[in-house]
Amino acid sequence: MVKRISKTNVIYKFSAKNKPVETASPGDLIIFETIDCLGGQIRNENDSISAIDWSRVNGATGPLYVKGAEPGDTLAVEILDISVDDKAFLVTVPGNGVLSNLKFSSKIKMLKTSKYTTNFSSLRIKSNPMIGTIGVAPAYDEIPCGDLGRHGGNMDVPILNAGSILYLPVTVEGALLALGDLHAVQADGELCVSAAETSGEVLVRINLIKKRQPRFPILENKDIIAILAFGNTIDEAIRAATEYAVETLMISHKLSFEEAYMLGSLIVNLRINQLVDPKKGVRAEISKDFVKFEDFLGIK
Ligand code: CA
Ligand code: ZN
């Protein structure tokens, strides 16, 4: 039986204080219905950005309590399917995005979407339905869903799509998984501050790895393992991703620092997730020809 979590169960902070709205055991299938990142407040291009209630943005659906999940474990979230609405929107917000220093106005653009294609005016762009926000509750803080960190959050990773597995370090009992902020398509960087923002449904399978965890969220797909690192600046994020990648190569291939550092130049691809959220996100991708997920466990 597949359990379904309604999009009426919205959280705005990842927090141990949130009451679970559903429970699951390892192996269970769950559908999360999600609202868009602005909570359905944008319906057409004449809506006003200045009328948006910013206390109702970046909501995530959940949280889901995972039976048996304890601090020190890793939650594995297998993304089996993502379906998106038939429309999406983009916004510009003055003072936001990579070009926040330039003068420009607020604008809303509506897009027609499907699983296959997103139409930007007359341009047809290949869709890549993906999850913008997904995370577990942090042990001590309450972290707004618009922020990101070791718990996951608003990571905006374009390759967090169907067929991938996301590994999140558990720090509270039950893990308290929540997700939302679907994008029909987004490029690395999310440069204008929004992507093809939409609502939809995500089908996941939940699993648990006991008593071991990675230092950062890790994404696995059929080709690569990616470290999802973050920092207050892009430089900080790049350094964090690189250090973890090199340390992992030292351990998995029994190399000195210098050898692992050199190997990294050949096989570690540093890519940008997003540059527009409170913290910047970088991923270090390594081919599964050279590493496996287990290599990333147990380095603190
Ligand atoms: Ca986002
Ligand atoms: Zn978004």
Side-chain angles (χ1 to χ4, degrees):
M1 191 191 74
V2 184
K3 291 180 177 173
R4 174 178 285 270
I5 304 182
S6 153
K7 61 185 173 196
T8 54
N9 298 294
V10 183
I11 61 164
Y12 295 98
K13 285 175 181 170
F14 287 97
S15 164
K17 293 179 188 157
N18 291 330
K19 282 220 169 65
V21 296
E22 185 57 88
T23 59
S25 297
D28 282 357
L29 298 174
I30 312 283
I31 294 171
F32 289 79
E33 298 177 357
T34 66
I35 55 176
D36 67 60
C37 71
L38 295 184
Q41 297 185 77
I42 298 292
R43 290 174 205 287
N44 64 63
E45 294 183 353
N46 300 320
D47 282 338
S48 162
I49 301 271
S50 56
I52 290 171
D53 175 356
W54 293 100
S55 70
R56 289 196 294 129
V57 304
N58 291 310
T61 301
L64 174 74
Y65 184 98
V66 178
K67 287 181 197 161
E70 295 172 305
D73 297 344
T74 297
L75 186 66
V77 186
E78 199 178 339
I79 316 299
L80 299 174
D81 192 34
I82 302 175
S83 60
V84 289
D85 192 11
D86 59 4
K87 58 183 187 308
F89 63 86
L90 277 160
V91 291
T92 53
V93 183
N96 281 268
V98 174
L99 302 181
S100 58
N101 58 315
L102 300 185
K103 195 168 155 45
F104 58 87
S105 41
S106 302
K107 189 172 166 65
I108 297 169
K109 189 171 183 69
M110 299 303 298
L111 312 169
K112 268 198 198 134
T113 63
S114 74
K115 205 165 191 148
Y116 309 103
T117 312
T118 299
N119 292 303
F120 183 101
S121 302
S122 63
L123 300 174
R124 287 160 61 88
I125 300 163
K126 191 174 183 295
S127 292
N128 173 32
M130 51 153 278
I131 303 170
T133 298
I134 179 168
V136 292
Y140 303 109
D141 302 339
E142 296 189 289
I143 303 180
C145 293
D147 206 347
L148 59 148
R150 188 167 181 264
H151 71 293
N154 187 16
M155 296 187 289
D156 290 322
V157 181
I159 59 170
L160 187 38
N161 48 18
S164 62
I165 305 172
L166 178 66
Y167 299 95
L168 293 166
V170 175
T171 50
V172 305
E173 193 193 304
L176 301 183
L177 176 71
L179 65 88
D181 183 26
L182 301 186
H183 299 163
V185 57
Q186 179 210 309
D188 283 354
E190 200 183 12
L191 60 85
C192 93
V193 83
S194 59
E197 306 292 340
T198 190
S199 55
E201 290 187 6
V202 182
L203 172 65
V204 305
R205 184 185 291 118
I206 300 296
N207 266 304
L208 207 51
I209 297 157
K210 292 297 292 178
K211 297 187 192 304
R212 299 183 75 192
Q213 57 183 209
R215 187 194 303 172
F216 286 105
I218 299 282
L219 184 153
E220 175 175 8
N221 65 26
K222 67 179 182 17
D223 302 315
I224 54 120
I225 308 271
I227 298 165
L228 306 181
F230 58 91
N232 290 313
T233 63
I234 190 70
D235 287 357
E236 215 179 284
I238 288 168
R239 192 174 290 267
T242 304
E243 276 181 14
Y244 193 14
V246 170
E247 282 176 35
T248 302
L249 292 175
M250 287 173 69
I251 290 172
S252 59
H253 292 278
K254 300 191 170 55
L255 300 175
S256 66
F257 172 83
E258 292 76 9
E259 292 263 330
Y261 199 20
M262 290 191 282
L263 179 61
S265 272
L266 310 185
I267 66 167
V268 178
N269 288 302
L270 294 171
R271 302 197 195 280
I272 291 168
N273 292 327
Q274 54 70 34
L275 296 166
V276 297
D277 292 331
K279 296 189 182 70
K280 313 305 165 210
V282 164
R283 62 182 186 275
E285 295 184 358
I286 310 176
S287 162
K288 284 161 83 173
D289 290 344
F290 305 107
V291 286
K292 55 188 187 305
F293 168 68
E294 288 70 25
D295 296 338
F296 293 83
L297 296 171
I299 309 174
K300 288 277 160 144

